[in-house]
Amino acid sequence: MGAMPMPGGGTTTSAWMPMCGQGWIAAGASFLGMWTVMMAAMMLPSLVPMLWQYRRAVGGVRGSRSTLLMLLVAGGYFLVWTLLGAAVYPLGAAATAAAASYPVLAHAAPAATGLVVLIAGLLQLTRWKARLLARCRTHCRREPAHCGRALRADLSGALRHGLRLGFHCSQCCAGLTAVLLVTGVMDAPAMIAVTAAVTLERLAPAGERIARIVGAVVIGAGSLLTARAAGLS
């Protein structure tokens, strides 16, 4: 997606606005399709170990049924991310339209972006993030179970497990997802950086420490963006 000029000399991604001759419904569908593909590419490296552990947990199932169950887990996982995209698009589109109509909001956008990035960095350092990350790392590295019971090797059980994984993962990635949304959703460098951060904090041996390092870097970036918006640098 290209950049769209805003009042005051700033820019925003055109992903939030309809293209020439495109209605809002078509624009929303286009965004949702690109969002889902983007999230699939970003989250697949950390999802694959979860799928492998699920396959081990239902080890009595073989062949095409095992493949079907894993596909349902993945489908439930990405359904959560798709629904998240459907929820954020109206908010992003409304904010972009308001900034395009009211220059005072466009001038305030850089400071708001810096503040969101700063808060996202602080979120990386909280116990809430540590608890969610520990759960995600458990799903990646050990045989998953739910409430002390073995996972059900049926279609509905696989779908529910995928939905749970997606819900937990979207919570754990809330801060980094917010950074992506405000700094340029669909922006390739931002996607690569967030993908690397998400993958390393889940799969690397020192994932918890990496999450804190990422948080410190994001805090620094948010502070710099805020200072620039205030004209201090």
Side-chain angles (χ1 to χ4, degrees), residues 103-193:
V104 65
L105 296 180
H107 284 288
T113 296
L115 184 60
V116 170
V117 173
L118 181 59
I119 293 173
L122 293 171
L123 194 64
Q124 285 283 115
L125 308 181
T126 61
R127 292 182 179 178
W128 179 79
K129 166 70 179 189
R131 184 172 64 251
L132 290 170
L133 180 58
R135 181 180 297 176
C136 286
R137 287 173 62 83
T138 296
H139 283 302
C140 287
R141 303 177 73 175
R142 297 196 313 218
E143 292 188 6
H146 181 57
C147 297
R149 300 188 302 272
L151 292 171
R152 292 173 52 187
D154 57 28
L155 302 184
S156 63
L159 180 60
R160 286 197 298 270
H161 183 63
L163 292 171
R164 284 195 298 269
L165 290 178
F167 179 69
H168 294 155
C169 187
S170 62
Q171 285 184 291
C172 188
C173 296
L176 296 176
T177 303
V179 171
L180 187 64
L181 288 169
V182 300
T183 59
V185 64
M186 312 300 180
D187 179 72
M191 289 171 55
I192 293 171

